[in-house]
Amino acid sequence: MQNRSLLILFMINLVGLLTDMPMSIDFYYFQSVRFATVDYCTWWTFTLFSFAVIGEFLMAVISIQRHFFIFQAHVFQNRRKRYIFYYLPLILSIIYPILFYIYSIFLVTCDGSQWDFTLPVCGFANCYFLYDAALTLFDYVFNNTVPLAVIFIANVVLIIRVVKQKRHRQQRFVWKKHRRMTIQLVCISSLYLIAWSPVIIDTLILNISPSPSLIQFHMNYVSEFPNLACYGLPWVYAGLLSEFKKWMLKRISPARIAAHTVQPV
């Protein structure tokens, strides 16, 4: 089950990367937004924001669920609890950001003259950023800061719990399994913390003391940091998650694996 949630995170990042990368490459190649229309900028920000926040929420949910997998695996053996504590959080992590940005980006409208076609992602000049301070604050706190805080706290607490359990239990196999699962989660979560922390900090500084040079720096450099999670996630999976690779290969080519399995005579 833990591999299934990691696969969902991987697929969301892959789709988000394939959606955003062509538009970003096109912008940096022509040094401007070639399709300079309101609809294009609206769609670009919607896909970028939605997939980024979905990834954050999924990572936060996976960080919490890993506690159950390590310390209370019996919870997921019950069908009702499995749907409540495993499937439902994953589904909500995908549906909520989409619904939020449908409302914020498509339904909160203005005349469209605010877009800057000389900046990446049209200057991130969505109408709710400019005219709805309460919605912008909610987006910053609940959709970006809270998931990041959950990821950080869940990983720190997990490390502490695993170390304490090692001291009380001297079962080598159990400790080895828990250590491997903890290292996997910490590495994946650290990728999100590294990718999103500069954005959260820089946005906070911009809200306290905005300046043209800082805004330009944010647009050209800091806003690209979240993409590090998308770019780095496949490499982390390939390097650390040997069980995930076996699980993926088994489902991609079960017949091929079965053909190479030695059968007793």
Side-chain angles (χ1 to χ4, degrees):
M1 289 180 66
Q2 55 180 318
N3 289 330
R4 191 177 295 122
S5 59
L6 293 174
L7 177 61
I8 293 172
L9 177 63
F10 178 81
M11 294 304 297
I12 289 294
N13 275 273
L14 178 62
V15 175
L17 191 62
L18 293 177
T19 304
D20 175 68
M21 184 176 287
M23 292 184 281
S24 296
I25 293 175
D26 185 80
F27 171 82
Y28 287 113
Y29 181 80
F30 291 99
Q31 294 297 307
S32 64
V33 179
R34 189 155 56 106
F35 305 100
T37 63
V38 173
D39 291 338
Y40 182 82
C41 293
T42 303
W43 173 251
W44 192 357
T45 54
F46 171 74
T47 55
L48 181 65
F49 292 175
S50 297
F51 283 111
V53 173
I54 288 173
E56 275 194 283
F57 271 86
L58 284 175
M59 191 68 254
V61 168
I62 292 171
S63 299
I64 296 174
Q65 288 180 344
R66 188 57 62 99
H67 286 258
F68 288 98
F69 281 118
I70 294 179
F71 302 104
Q72 295 174 313
H74 63 277
V75 171
F76 295 125
Q77 295 175 1
N78 181 282
R79 184 177 181 180
R80 182 184 176 188
K81 292 182 178 179
R82 184 165 64 247
Y83 278 101
I84 294 175
F85 296 109
Y86 181 77
Y87 291 111
L88 184 59
L90 294 175
I91 293 172
L92 291 177
S93 297
I94 297 174
I95 294 177
Y96 161 73
I98 295 175
L99 294 179
F100 176 84
Y101 288 112
I102 286 177
Y103 170 77
S104 301
I105 295 177
F106 289 105
L107 300 183
V108 180
T109 58
C110 48
D111 59 7
S113 61
Q114 80 281 1
W115 298 109
D116 189 340
F117 302 117
T118 64
L119 293 175
V121 200
C122 305
F124 297 92
N126 296 94
C127 296
Y128 79 98
F129 278 162
L130 303 177
Y131 304 111
D132 196 330
L135 191 60
T136 302
L137 180 62
F138 178 85
D139 185 24
Y140 171 75
V141 174
F142 186 77
N143 294 340
N144 297 128
T145 308
V146 170
L148 205 66
V150 170
I151 295 170
F152 177 76
I153 295 172
N155 279 270
V156 172
V157 173
L158 181 64
I159 294 173
I160 295 173
R161 292 183 69 182
V162 169
V163 171
K164 284 186 176 181
Q165 188 187 62
K166 179 180 182 293
R167 292 179 179 178
H168 288 87
R169 297 182 183 182
Q170 298 301 324
Q171 301 175 8
R172 183 176 179 183
F173 175 77
V174 174
W175 159 243
K176 184 178 179 181
K177 179 181 178 181
H178 290 183
R179 182 184 63 179
R180 183 173 64 250
M181 294 177 68
T182 304
I183 292 174
Q184 291 171 357
L185 178 65
V186 169
C187 290
I188 298 173
S189 301
S190 298
L191 187 62
Y192 276 83
L193 292 172
I194 293 171
W196 277 98
S197 294
V199 178
I200 300 299
I201 296 172
D202 192 61
T203 303
L204 180 61
I205 296 173
L206 278 174
N207 289 327
I208 295 174
S209 59
S211 66
S213 59
L214 193 59
I215 293 174
Q216 191 73 19
F217 178 77
H218 181 90
M219 294 291 183
N220 292 330
Y221 301 103
V222 179
S223 62
E224 296 292 336
F225 268 81
N227 290 330
L228 292 176
C230 296
Y231 300 147
L233 196 64
W235 300 102
V236 174
Y237 276 34
L240 293 174
L241 305 184
S242 57
E243 293 181 357
F244 178 78
K245 290 188 290 185
K246 294 177 183 178
W247 183 81
M248 282 288 295
L249 290 173
K250 186 177 180 181
R251 276 150 180 77
I252 293 173
S253 55
R256 181 180 177 184
I257 294 177
H260 289 80
T261 303
V262 178
Q263 299 290 343
V265 178

